[in-house]
Amino acid sequence: MLALWQPSASLAETKEAIPDSEIISDGNGDIEPLANDSKATNFGNGARLVANVYIASYGAKSRPYRTSAIIENGPAPRSGTDWVRNTTTFSSWGISSSLDAFGQSGSEVSTSWTNNNGARGSYLSGNVIANAFTFQVTGTTTGFGYYYGMTRSATASTSTLT
């Protein structure tokens, strides 16, 4: 049986929507899909430590990123006693590949931010810039937390082609 083409939906209506958890603003009002990962580990008192990493997965060699380490649930962390740390590393793959982030340049760059002021999270965001020889960028976030006498860590990692 021969089927005839009939216009039905506009092109915009046929596109699949990207979930909000998989988009990031480029700062110009545009959004881009993300390479992302999230990992969690439990504390013994109902709280959990979550590590998150998000990198824009296409576009120019400069890509926005967001990373976090968050203590979810349970009582509020105690200021000056409990802490949460976000350690983020970006690494590049390619011949003579290099990245710029955190005011550093190299095939691997890393930084860390710790909150011990009663905050539940430690957050980093910005742009990771790859040189012309970089084919892949991998982002790894390790969240560390000391919370009511318990220490935990969780690591999330994702990669995107450039």
Side-chain angles (χ1 to χ4, degrees):
M1 172 182 243
L2 180 62
L4 297 175
W5 178 80
Q6 294 180 359
S8 57
S10 72
L11 180 60
E13 293 171 334
T14 61
K15 285 181 150 181
E16 289 187 35
I18 299 171
D20 288 344
S21 62
E22 295 184 16
I23 58 175
I24 190 170
S25 170
D26 68 359
N28 296 318
D30 295 327
I31 55 174
E32 299 179 356
L34 296 175
N36 64 68
D37 191 29
S38 183
K39 295 291 189 282
T41 188
N42 292 318
F43 288 101
N45 60 0
R48 68 185 196 147
L49 176 69
V50 182
N52 300 293
V53 59
Y54 305 91
I55 308 171
S57 60
Y58 75 90
K61 295 290 185 176
S62 176
R63 294 159 185 255
Y65 70 85
R66 292 188 319 238
T67 67
S68 60
I70 303 168
I71 297 173
E72 294 182 341
N73 307 324
R78 299 165 297 176
S79 181
T81 302
D82 298 330
W83 51 265
V84 60
R85 177 179 302 135
N86 173 348
T87 299
T88 297
T89 302
F90 291 111
S91 56
S92 62
W93 180 82
I95 299 170
S96 299
S97 64
S98 180
L99 300 172
D100 291 322
F102 318 124
Q104 305 169 28
S105 293
S107 60
E108 183 174 292
V109 293
S110 183
T111 196
S112 185
W113 182 259
T114 302
N115 272 340
N116 68 346
N117 59 359
R120 286 192 177 271
S122 174
Y123 306 88
L124 295 168
S125 64
N127 289 305
V128 57
I129 303 166
N131 72 0
F133 305 108
T134 301
F135 298 110
Q136 181 174 318
V137 174
T138 299
T140 303
T141 297
T142 301
F144 298 95
Y146 180 80
Y147 179 74
Y148 289 87
M150 296 170 276
T151 303
R152 298 288 187 271
S153 68
T155 300
S157 185
T158 192
S159 294
T160 183
L161 299 175
T162 61

